[in-house]
Amino acid sequence: MTYTREADHGTPPAVATCKSVTLTIDGDTVTMPEGTSIMRAASLTGCSIPKLCATDNVESFGSCRLCLVEVEGRNGYPASCTTPIAEGMVVRTQSERLKQLRRGVMELYISDHPLDCLTCPANGDCELQEQAGAVGLRDVRYGYDGATNMGQAKDQSNPYFDFDPSKCIVCSRCVRACDEVQGTFALTIEGRGFDSKVSPSQGQDFLSSECVSCGACVQACPTATLTEKKVVQIGTPDRAVVTTCAYCGVGCTFRAEMRGEELVRMVPWKEGKANHGHSCVKGRFAWGYAQHRDRILKPMIRASVDEPWREVSWEEAIAHTASEFKRIQAQYGTRSIGGITSSRCTNEETFLVQKLIRQGFGNNNVDTCARVCHSPTGYGLKTTFGTSAGTQDFDSVAEADVILVIGANPTDGHPVFASRMKKRLREGAKLIVIDPRRIDLVKSPHVEAAHHLPLRPGTNVAMLTAMAHVIVTENLFDEAFIRNRCDWDEFMDWAAFVAEPSRSPEAIEPLTGVKAEEVRAAARLYATGGNAAIYYGLGVTEHSQGSSTVMAIANLAMATGNVGREGVGVNPLRGQNNVQGACDMGSFPHEFSGYRHVSDDAVRGQFERAWGVTLDAEPGLRIPNMLDAATDGTFKGIFIQGEDILQSDPNTHHVAAGLAAMECVVVQDLFLNETANYAHVFLPGSTFLEKDGTFTNAERRIQRVRKVMAPLNGYGDWEIVQLVAQAMGLGWSYAHPSEIMDEIAALTPTFAGVHYDRLDAEGSLQWPANDAAPDGTPTMHIDGFVRGRGKFVVTDYVPTDEKTGPRFPLLLTTGRILSQYNVGAQTRRTANEAWHPEDRLEIHPADAENRGIKDGDWVSLKSRAGETSLRALITERVAPGVVYTTFHHPDTQANVITTDYSDWATNCPEYKVTAVQVTPSNGPSDWQRDYADQARHSRRIAPLAAAQ
């Protein structure tokens, strides 16, 4: 679309109210909700009142004095941004006196502002420039002699934007955006009067300060004080396309603002229903990987992983792929090949990969990265509630009185949602954090948890059962809800189980390491504090009892009646951008799209009629089973779309052995990732900027992904899968992803009402979206559970088989950090490296001192599965006996350490509990050096082919 700046009505909408107010503005009668500001009311009727300090992303401030109006019957000239409308009010936004006042105010601003508009990067996109014209300023009477704030040094420390205090008008918009929107409180106004200036933290530069580079300040700035470096380099945009971020499961909507075929900036879209105009450092700035020099743009093949890659045409690569898969099946049998779908790709692309495997390969050997993160969510919530997804939308948190966060770190993993959560906490909601680490939410500016339960890794089920013990034995459960909505007999069985003395907080204290009185207080708060919402992440699911923990969470919610309305519920925070969608699309070996089992004759018959083939009724192999079968010699070929299993899956040595045993490994990705070291065919993928489709975020919100630029590799990912299918003899003929979505809607009951025209018109839909729920479903289980009656499940605590002992006395748990994403393939190829250039091992000072380790020292991290080396970070964020690291850098290979223990129901790996020993080291291990050499060797491209 053609570039136009988003409308800014100056102040936020009024708090929802049923009452309306009728007034007159410049002779026109208008009716608006009570509480609306005069400025917003005027803007909504097409009347633009000059403003500088006002913007509708933050609360009104009333400091610039440019938006003065006249109100009949009132003295003076009130600021329209801070004055609410009233019944019968008569407002004039223009008069000779108002013109004089506004010009006088603007003269003062301009007298202390550089007049370099022609060379300023904000020229043509500057509100100060625009408002000077709006008030008719043509001359400045005060001159430019004497003291000014011009000529101050720029702060260019941040890799994405510059701060030029010479152009600052001290409107406080950036400070208020940091406080109100982001909730970091990293900016302040330092000094008074003429000496007032914006300052990050305590006079630090932006990079060194507490600023998290979310971009809220840059977006709020009305001048060129805060300017993105890309705008300086490229110029202002000339068109914009609305699309959806391809990082985490929040699913932020952005305006991709372009100049020709160059992306200038990603601006969070105010109409985005998941993010409401906010963003984080990844979505806002870390998109440069799309044009990174490491990106592979031509298909490549090789006969052996010991040989260099040979660039080939698309025709040869596709024909070779199909030929190899056919050969392997003819030699080893139908079930000797399979594939992995991607949670980074669109719903449409994921659907096509599982269709290729089921229709083209003739088996159900399909799995997805959700296996290694949220498969217990699917199992646990389907068992208890009847659906494999969370119950609420993100907006629901605004109605929560108690927020329980368990096994999640929202400020790092889901920062835009975390900002909204922090806003609700600042408003008075109470917070319970159950996590081995002292995550930022435990205590940060204006936010402090009422209870932090720093349990020992692996004891989630024991902890939740102890909380249930308190709720049952103290009669804090909601009997009416349970009798009306759940199976009472199952509840009684569960209640008798949790009420046993052996499951009291006192009894489990030696297991969890958490004081019994804290557990009791937290349980009472959750049960009696009003609307209580649970948010959880991979610290719940990536355990041998992941499914049990999800069901234990559901038990708590049902027992207290915290399901089926705003402000409550059970809410998994999905890790990657389309984990929910990948699961919805039938990426598991036992399920078609919509979570329907492959053994169901009626469901299978529906797909057979649509696809014109007979489908296998037997579930296929999961990723771990594929690797096991490969080492056993029965699984020989795999198609991997957008997933780096060598870095992301547990027990790296076993993954490598499985891949090495295969005869045809096909990788479809952007870069030669770690898995590609074992690949025989590389099909270059496309980024989210180069494709059309949809993503489904953690709140079941289906949103459009729109092509911003032509694919640099020549094809969208869905087109590549279609070419492979056609070469395999399938008659696919999709012309556009919208046709794939039409097929998804026809075959998937929860998506029956989803079509591109509706998504384009309405912005998004939350499934189920069908005849029963034509407008989608923001809140699930309102009148009853999808399965009928809610099911209480007895969840006995079973200690993990991974034990500490004299050789391995510490427990390792893993997680993410704000600036990096998953295995880092994208973010490591951006300036985000400035914040996290390497994985570090967090270790408590007592454990470090016992081992003679100082901050920054190289240490060896060893488990029963393997060994690696990295630098130590000494911190009290972890408890004694617990160490922590991230997994964003392949140089670390953190998953060399993790074992192949997994969840009893889903095979989700137990990343969060690994017994380890930490000792001083002299640098990277021999294994790491050998691996780096092997990777460099594997990534060679034949000189002749490269030249061609």
Side-chain angles (χ1 to χ4, degrees):
M1 63 185 185
T2 303
Y3 180 78
T4 55
R5 191 189 301 159
E6 274 194 272
D8 188 335
H9 300 300
T11 63
V15 176
T17 176
C18 297
K19 188 174 180 181
S20 295
V21 170
T22 300
L23 70 158
T24 302
I25 300 178
D26 291 339
D28 294 329
T29 300
V30 298
T31 300
M32 294 283 169
E34 184 181 41
T36 302
S37 70
I38 292 175
M39 175 179 284
R40 186 176 182 89
S43 178
L44 290 169
T45 59
C47 175
S48 179
I49 298 175
K51 64 184 188 302
L52 280 175
C53 74
T55 180
D56 56 16
N57 276 347
V58 296
E59 297 299 322
S60 56
F61 196 54
S63 70
C64 75
R65 315 311 296 170
L66 203 63
C67 70
L68 307 179
V69 294
E70 293 178 349
V71 178
E72 194 171 285
R74 295 193 187 182
N75 294 327
Y77 304 91
S80 62
C81 66
T82 57
T83 306
I85 60 176
E87 185 66 35
M89 178 183 277
V90 177
V91 178
R92 284 186 291 275
T93 68
Q94 285 288 352
S95 70
E96 285 303 315
R97 181 56 179 154
L98 288 174
K99 292 176 185 176
Q100 292 174 3
L101 289 171
R102 290 170 181 164
R103 277 197 293 267
V105 169
M106 185 57 75
E107 279 186 273
L108 292 171
Y109 279 115
I110 298 301
S111 68
D112 192 22
H113 193 82
L115 297 181
D116 58 352
C117 292
L118 288 179
T119 57
C120 177
N123 186 25
D125 192 26
C126 172
E127 292 181 48
L128 183 67
Q129 185 183 60
E130 182 181 298
Q131 297 304 328
V135 302
L137 183 67
R138 298 294 178 263
D139 188 29
V140 177
R141 292 169 292 172
Y142 306 116
Y144 294 93
D145 295 331
T148 72
N149 285 295
M150 293 184 275
Q152 299 182 63
K154 286 184 182 180
D155 177 358
Q156 297 179 307
S157 62
N158 189 285
Y160 294 118
F161 59 83
D162 296 334
F163 172 57
D164 186 352
S166 297
K167 296 185 177 181
C168 181
I169 60 173
V170 200
C171 64
S172 294
R173 275 166 59 164
C174 60
V175 177
R176 288 181 286 141
C178 187
D179 295 354
E180 297 174 26
V181 180
Q182 169 57 28
T184 296
F185 297 85
L187 302 178
T188 189
I189 300 295
E190 182 182 284
R192 298 177 64 85
F194 181 78
D195 295 324
S196 299
K197 63 180 181 179
V198 172
S199 174
S201 297
Q202 297 179 352
Q204 298 172 294
D205 61 38
F206 266 87
L207 184 62
S208 305
S209 75
E210 294 170 342
C211 168
V212 294
S213 297
C214 68
C217 60
V218 180
Q219 188 174 1
C221 182
T223 69
T225 305
L226 287 160
T227 305
E228 292 177 51
K229 295 179 189 287
K230 282 291 184 181
V231 174
V232 177
Q233 295 167 10
I234 300 173
T236 52
D238 56 22
R239 64 185 178 92
V241 180
V242 174
T243 191
T244 303
C245 179
Y247 277 117
C248 79
V250 173
C252 297
T253 311
F254 283 85
R255 281 164 48 102
E257 299 192 347
M258 309 288 294
R259 189 168 188 85
E261 281 290 295
E262 282 192 279
L263 179 56
V264 178
R265 61 190 175 196
M266 294 285 282
V267 179
W269 194 38
K270 293 179 183 179
E271 299 301 315
K273 295 180 181 178
N275 60 317
H276 299 292
H278 190 35
S279 60
C280 78
V281 62
K282 295 188 288 290
R284 184 72 156 89
F285 297 117
W287 39 263
Y289 67 88
Q291 285 85 30
H292 196 274
R293 62 182 180 276
D294 287 352
R295 191 167 162 198
I296 304 298
L297 299 177
K298 294 182 179 180
M300 301 187 298
I301 63 176
R302 58 185 175 182
S304 166
V305 296
D306 296 323
E307 297 178 3
W309 286 104
R310 179 170 62 89
E311 290 180 355
V312 297
S313 67
W314 274 107
E315 292 76 14
E316 182 177 350
I318 297 297
H320 178 78
T321 299
S323 174
E324 279 294 278
F325 284 149
K326 289 177 181 178
R327 175 190 65 79
I328 290 171
Q329 285 190 306
Q331 185 174 349
Y332 300 103
T334 301
R335 298 183 180 181
S336 60
I337 62 174
I340 300 174
T341 72
S342 175
S343 293
R344 289 189 287 135
C345 289
T346 64
N347 287 318
E348 294 76 6
E349 290 158 349
T350 300
F351 183 83
L352 287 192
V353 171
Q354 64 86 31
K355 180 179 178 179
L356 169 68
I357 292 161
R358 291 190 159 105
Q359 183 191 28
F361 294 2
N363 62 53
N364 289 311
N365 291 338
V366 58
D367 208 353
T368 183
C369 77
R371 161 80 50 228
V372 300
C373 58
H374 268 287
S375 49
T377 286
Y379 182 90
L381 294 186
K382 188 171 184 179
T383 300
T384 51
F385 294 166
T387 54
S388 299
T391 61
Q392 315 293 127
D393 62 5
F394 290 143
D395 289 347
S396 174
V397 76
E399 304 298 325
D401 301 306
V402 178
I403 299 170
L404 193 162
V405 176
I406 175 170
N409 187 3
T411 55
D412 280 18
H414 303 83
V416 172
F417 172 69
S419 293
R420 198 170 317 168
M421 180 186 289
K422 289 192 291 184
K423 181 178 181 181
R424 179 59 187 145
L425 293 170
R426 294 196 300 273
E427 293 169 347
K430 303 298 183 184
L431 175 65
I432 302 166
V433 174
I434 303 177
D435 198 285
R437 296 173 72 231
R438 195 180 70 239
I439 61 174
D440 286 346
L441 278 178
V442 172
K443 189 172 184 180
S444 58
H446 304 281
V447 168
E448 185 170 4
H451 303 284
H452 175 213
L453 312 181
L455 78 175
R456 187 169 291 117
T459 60
N460 286 334
V461 172
M463 173 62 71
L464 294 171
T465 302
M467 292 181 68
H469 174 93
V470 176
I471 291 167
V472 169
T473 58
E474 297 186 9
N475 292 314
L476 304 180
F477 55 88
D478 188 336
E479 182 174 346
F481 179 92
I482 298 166
R483 287 188 179 277
N484 183 47
R485 299 283 302 274
C486 305
D487 187 300
W488 180 256
D489 290 337
E490 289 177 343
F491 166 74
M492 292 300 291
D493 291 341
W494 173 80
F497 168 79
V498 301
E500 293 180 10
S502 62
R503 296 177 177 89
S504 69
E506 290 75 17
I508 64 98
E509 183 174 326
L511 291 174
T512 64
V514 180
K515 293 181 179 179
E517 57 266 30
E518 272 294 294
V519 178
R520 287 189 176 274
R524 291 167 185 150
L525 176 60
Y526 175 76
T528 65
N531 286 341
I534 300 176
Y535 295 90
Y536 71 87
L538 304 186
V540 159
T541 57
E542 292 180 343
H543 287 273
S544 60
Q545 280 202 289
S547 293
S548 298
T549 308
V550 173
M551 291 187 288
I553 288 171
N555 290 339
L556 281 187
M558 290 186 291
T560 54
N562 280 305
V563 184
R565 63 183 186 276
E566 287 289 282
V568 299
V570 175
N571 306 282
L573 296 175
R574 303 287 193 167
Q576 296 196 66
N577 56 298
N578 204 34
V579 167
Q580 183 67 60
C583 299
D584 297 341
M585 292 299 101
S587 293
F588 290 125
H590 64 291
E591 289 176 334
F592 291 116
S593 61
Y595 306 97
R596 293 161 298 161
H597 205 278
V598 295
S599 64
D600 186 314
D601 293 340
V603 173
R604 197 172 63 259
Q606 182 186 12
F607 281 85
E608 288 175 340
R609 288 188 294 274
W611 295 348
V613 297
T614 300
L615 297 175
D616 194 344
E618 289 293 321
L621 300 176
R622 297 168 173 174
I623 294 172
N625 307 132
M626 295 183 202
L627 296 169
D628 291 342
T631 57
D632 290 341
T634 59
F635 189 85
K636 292 293 185 178
I638 192 168
F639 182 96
I640 304 174
Q641 181 188 64
E643 179 65 13
D644 190 359
I645 62 172
L646 192 67
Q647 191 177 345
S648 64
D649 283 33
N651 198 341
T652 302
H653 293 309
H654 180 59
V655 177
L659 292 170
M662 298 184 201
E663 295 184 7
C664 183
V665 174
V666 179
V667 169
Q668 180 183 0
D669 216 310
L670 304 176
F671 307 103
L672 281 172
N673 57 25
E674 305 309 301
T675 302
N677 294 338
Y678 292 87
H680 306 89
V681 180
F682 188 89
L683 304 177
S686 56
T687 70
F688 78 109
L689 297 170
E690 302 162 337
K691 63 177 68 172
D692 285 295
T694 58
F695 293 150
T696 306
N697 75 349
E699 51 175 357
R700 296 170 283 104
R701 188 180 301 280
I702 307 158
Q703 301 181 105
R704 285 279 279 115
V705 180
R706 295 179 178 88
K707 184 185 293 186
V708 172
M709 59 183 69
L712 298 181
N713 64 341
Y715 292 106
D717 287 324
W718 70 272
E719 294 175 294
I720 297 168
V721 178
Q722 175 161 276
L723 289 171
V724 173
Q726 290 170 343
M728 294 286 294
L730 305 180
W732 295 7
S733 58
Y734 304 105
H736 189 268
S738 61
E739 297 178 4
I740 307 171
M741 178 54 73
D742 290 342
E743 182 174 326
I744 294 168
L747 292 171
T748 313
T750 50
F751 276 65
V754 180
H755 304 284
Y756 275 30
D757 54 352
R758 286 199 67 189
L759 294 175
D760 289 338
E762 300 175 33
S764 67
L765 284 168
Q766 289 175 265
W767 68 257
N770 47 32
D771 290 342
D775 297 323
T777 311
T779 301
M780 298 282 283
H781 318 297
I782 292 176
D783 299 318
F785 290 101
V786 170
R787 72 180 306 277
R789 287 190 169 270
K791 182 178 182 64
F792 281 87
V793 179
V794 170
T795 54
D796 199 2
Y797 169 64
V798 179
T800 172
D801 289 335
E802 179 70 355
K803 311 291 186 186
T804 57
R807 289 182 59 213
F808 304 105
L810 304 174
L811 283 176
L812 168 71
T813 188
T814 62
R816 298 175 178 174
I817 201 165
L818 170 64
S819 58
Q820 296 286 2
Y821 172 71
N822 205 31
V823 297
Q826 293 149 277
T827 44
R828 282 186 286 104
R829 291 176 171 90
T830 70
N832 279 29
E833 284 283 88
W835 290 281
H836 188 75
E838 61 180 340
D839 294 321
R840 300 283 290 269
L841 183 75
E842 293 187 10
I843 183 169
H844 190 272
D847 292 325
E849 184 177 1
N850 288 340
R851 291 161 174 78
I853 295 168
K854 299 188 294 295
D855 195 70
D857 282 357
W858 278 95
V859 295
S860 170
L861 179 65
K862 187 174 184 179
S863 74
R864 295 179 179 91
E867 181 179 6
T868 190
S869 293
L870 67 170
R871 296 182 193 273
L873 176 64
I874 299 176
T875 175
E876 292 186 350
R877 285 170 65 95
V878 293
V882 176
V883 292
Y884 169 90
T885 189
T886 52
F887 50 86
H888 303 302
H889 291 268
D891 293 342
T892 306
Q893 286 291 323
N895 283 328
V896 168
I897 303 302
T898 53
T899 68
D900 53 9
Y901 292 125
S902 63
D903 174 51
W904 61 270
T906 65
N907 274 149
C908 183
E910 190 172 45
Y911 291 115
K912 304 304 182 186
V913 185
T914 306
V916 297
Q917 179 59 287
V918 178
T919 55
S921 168
N922 293 323
S925 65
D926 292 340
W927 182 89
Q928 287 169 285
R929 294 189 185 95
D930 292 344
Y931 180 83
D933 291 341
Q934 177 188 346
R936 282 191 291 271
H937 179 80
S938 177
R939 290 171 184 164
R940 292 174 302 151
I941 300 175
L944 179 61
Q948 292 173 345

